[in-house]
């Protein structure tokens, strides 16, 4: 059997990865702090846990927001569908009403047009009188 080498148990980043240049993007914000063994690794692990908790809270917040957006979209779609049905029904009612009005107008001749013109003139007269008496 082949012999296996034991993996080094080093907690020092510099010994594992080599020294990073200052502006390489790999440098730690804790550059001036010298590692002091196991305590330093525990501190870094604690900082990582805190950052992980913060990220988990942000992910949960984003998840809640997206679920809320999805619920709003479903409710809006349902409401728009209901409005579309209501407008279609109203359009049917109005088209029937106009059809009956046109049939009535065709049977009575042109008299209804003179009645509408007379009502518009009377309404305009009352509007003008009201405007100047204020």
């Amino acid at each position: 059997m082949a012999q296996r080498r034991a993996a080094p148990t080093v907690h020092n980043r510099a010994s594992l990865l080599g020294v990073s240049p200052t502006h390489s993007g790999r440098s730690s914000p804790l550059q001036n702090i010298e590692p002091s063994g196991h305590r330093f690794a525990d501190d870094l692990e604690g900082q990582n846990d805190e950052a992980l908790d913060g990220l988990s809270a942000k992910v949960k917040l984003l998840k809640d927001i997206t679920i809320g957006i999805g619920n709003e979209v479903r409710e809006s779609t349902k409401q728009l569908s209901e409005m579309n049905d209501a407008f279609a029904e109203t359009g049917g009612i109005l088209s029937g009403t106009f059809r009956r009005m046109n049939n009535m107008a065709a049977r009575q001749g042109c008299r209804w047009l003179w009645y509408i013109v007379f009502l518009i003139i009377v309404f305009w007269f009352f509007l003008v009188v009201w405007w100047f008496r204020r």
Side-chain angles (χ1 to χ4, degrees):
M1 296 214 163
Q3 273 187 326
R4 294 184 181 174
R5 288 183 15 194
T9 56
V10 179
H11 295 290
N12 189 353
R13 179 176 179 263
S15 66
L16 289 175
L17 302 174
V19 178
S20 300
T22 308
H23 300 291
S24 69
R26 283 187 1 188
S27 60
S28 171
L30 305 172
Q31 289 176 354
N32 298 333
I33 299 175
E34 287 295 320
S36 60
H38 189 65
R39 173 81 177 157
F40 182 72
D42 289 341
D43 289 342
L44 286 178
E45 188 67 31
Q47 289 175 358
N48 285 342
D49 290 341
E50 290 173 7
L52 186 63
D53 290 341
L55 288 175
S56 297
K58 289 178 183 178
V59 167
K60 184 182 181 313
L61 179 66
L62 285 174
K63 182 181 177 184
D64 292 342
I65 289 172
T66 55
I67 288 173
I69 290 172
N71 290 339
E72 183 68 27
V73 166
R74 277 191 292 282
E75 290 172 7
S76 296
T77 303
K78 181 181 174 186
Q79 188 176 20
L80 284 174
S81 175
E82 291 172 357
M83 286 176 60
N84 186 31
D85 295 343
F87 281 131
E89 183 180 334
T90 304
I93 291 170
L94 285 176
S95 67
T97 302
F98 281 119
R99 188 182 67 245
R100 286 191 299 273
M101 188 182 77
N102 285 334
N103 289 339
M104 179 192 70
R107 283 193 309 254
Q108 290 188 356
C110 205
R111 244 183 344 176
W112 68 274
L113 181 62
W114 292 112
Y115 289 136
I116 291 177
V117 169
F118 175 72
L119 288 175
I120 289 173
I121 290 171
V122 168
F123 178 74
W124 181 78
F125 176 74
F126 282 121
L127 189 65
V128 169
V129 169
W130 173 77
W131 184 263
F132 286 119
R133 292 193 54 119
R134 296 193 300 157

